[in-house]
Amino acid sequence: WPNDEQARLDPLRLRVDFSPEPYAEPDDTVGAATPLAVGTVAAFRLMPRHDVAMFALTAPSDGTFVAVLLETGGHQTTLIWLDPAGATVAEGTAEAPVAAGQTLILAVRSAYWPNDEQARPDALRLVVRHRRPDGSWTGEAQGAESMRLRPWEVVRFDPAVTWKGARLVKLST
């Protein structure tokens, strides 16, 4: 309480022990970014505070990279797309347009503002998908007999669209 405050001449002793970094963090720079294939799930941690996880992705064709955080580990997270030289391509968005063969670096931070960043032992899980200009997804089956829904996709039936005599579904995100 403010009324209970005192000024004292006695020295105050304080001991602070820091724990060593519990996880190897080799991916904090553009040059050390972890290679990640489109559609592959990456699990990682953001420790210590102000840690940045970087992933290098190469586009299989023209289109758009779409980053999806499957688990946030309690972080607010900010996504930043960089070119291989470290220049910002897009910030605060899950999507980044790419050309065939282009490499982009995805940086994941705990929060947008540095003072809001936290160190948490909980793992984050990330997958980066590649949407082609026609709306289809790289590495995902196009036939109705093998379609899988992702948690963020919605099924809409389109009676005008058929494939080998079967009615297809149209997926939207």
Side-chain angles (χ1 to χ4, degrees):
W1 298 101
N3 293 338
D4 295 336
E5 292 181 15
Q6 300 176 19
R8 299 187 62 119
L9 297 175
D10 301 336
L12 176 66
R13 294 175 192 249
L14 177 66
R15 177 181 168 167
V16 179
D17 292 324
F18 293 97
S19 59
E21 173 60 45
Y23 308 103
E25 287 294 330
D27 62 352
D28 291 344
T29 64
V30 170
T34 302
L36 183 63
V38 169
T40 302
V41 176
F44 60 99
R45 289 178 172 82
L46 292 175
M47 286 189 72
R49 189 171 176 220
H50 303 294
D51 182 28
V52 178
M54 296 203 184
F55 301 94
L57 297 113
T58 301
S61 64
D62 290 349
T64 305
F65 281 144
V66 180
V68 180
L69 281 162
L70 304 171
E71 293 178 26
T72 64
H75 295 278
Q76 296 172 1
T77 65
T78 291
L79 304 176
I80 304 165
W81 295 95
L82 308 166
D83 67 16
T88 301
V89 173
E91 185 172 351
T93 180
E95 299 188 9
V98 288
Q102 180 182 6
T103 297
L104 286 184
I105 310 298
L106 175 60
V108 182
R109 290 183 25 201
S110 174
Y112 181 78
W113 300 106
N115 289 340
D116 292 339
E117 290 193 53
Q118 301 176 13
R120 291 177 173 260
D122 304 320
L124 291 88
R125 290 184 18 172
L126 165 79
V127 64
V128 178
R129 300 173 72 201
H130 178 261
R131 185 176 57 228
R132 296 182 192 105
D134 67 2
S136 64
W137 298 91
T138 299
E140 297 182 19
Q142 301 300 306
E145 73 275 5
S146 61
M147 246 185 251
R148 291 177 298 153
L149 291 179
R150 307 280 188 216
W152 57 86
E153 293 174 326
V154 177
V155 177
R156 291 191 178 88
F157 291 95
D158 186 352
V161 179
T162 60
W163 177 71
K164 293 185 180 179
R167 185 176 291 171
L168 295 182
V169 294
K170 183 181 197 180
L171 298 177
S172 63
T173 55

